Amino acid sequence: MGLKMRTNLFVCSVAVLISACGENGGTTAPVENVSFSADVQPIFTANCTSLGCHIAPNSQLGMELNLGQAYTNIVGVQAVQATMPRVTPGQSSASYLYQKVIDAQVAAGGSGHRMPPEPRTALDSDELETIRVWIEEGALNN
């Protein structure tokens, strides 16, 4: 194989790799190995407790999401508005907390509004994916 052919093959290979990585060059890795304390709790702190909604002593529906309380208040705990737990380890589709943040609570047999409620901004896609993956990975207290 000649030098020109090898060069063309190399250039084509690089082009294929770049296009396979997506628009951002593959810098965004899929979410995996999510930590409750490092990844999920900061989402709760920034979006759920900062205005006093899910923090003691006036936590909405008895669901405290403040640091040190959130995990024991959601994993395996029955939801107030639905006939499913707030978080079912390994099953985001059977976790009412996840249904609330993706605005699917009514379809899941629950009620109320998306969390956080308007006029607050909905969680972004990265935050939603972090919560979903944490639940799917077993909702570990890590």
Side-chain angles (χ1 to χ4, degrees):
M1 186 181 317
L3 178 60
K4 185 174 181 178
M5 184 177 266
R6 284 194 304 256
T7 302
N8 287 341
L9 182 59
F10 174 77
V11 170
C12 288
S13 297
V14 170
V16 168
L17 287 172
I18 290 171
S19 67
C21 290
E23 291 179 19
N24 62 6
T27 58
T28 303
V31 177
E32 57 184 43
N33 300 319
V34 176
S35 162
F36 180 77
S37 61
D39 302 313
V40 178
Q41 183 63 58
I43 295 170
F44 293 160
T45 300
N47 297 282
C48 309
T49 66
S50 62
L51 290 181
C53 297
H54 289 287
I55 191 166
N58 301 316
S59 59
Q60 299 294 306
L61 300 175
M63 188 164 76
E64 294 180 23
L65 296 176
N66 48 303
L67 185 64
Q69 300 297 315
Y71 187 85
T72 58
N73 279 292
I74 59 173
V75 177
V77 175
Q78 181 62 43
V80 173
Q81 295 179 329
T83 59
M84 66 176 61
R86 291 172 173 163
V87 171
T88 302
Q91 299 178 10
S92 58
S93 63
S95 297
Y96 194 60
L97 180 144
Y98 184 68
Q99 300 308 306
K100 289 287 278 192
V101 297
I102 65 169
D103 202 13
Q105 67 280 357
V106 174
S111 61
H113 302 284
R114 165 198 53 85
M115 289 294 130
E118 293 182 1
R120 303 281 315 263
T121 303
L123 300 182
D124 67 34
S125 59
D126 289 341
E127 292 167 322
L128 294 173
E129 183 66 359
T130 296
I131 293 170
R132 186 194 68 76
V133 170
W134 170 71
I135 293 170
E136 293 296 329
E137 290 180 339
L140 303 176
N141 189 8
N142 55 359

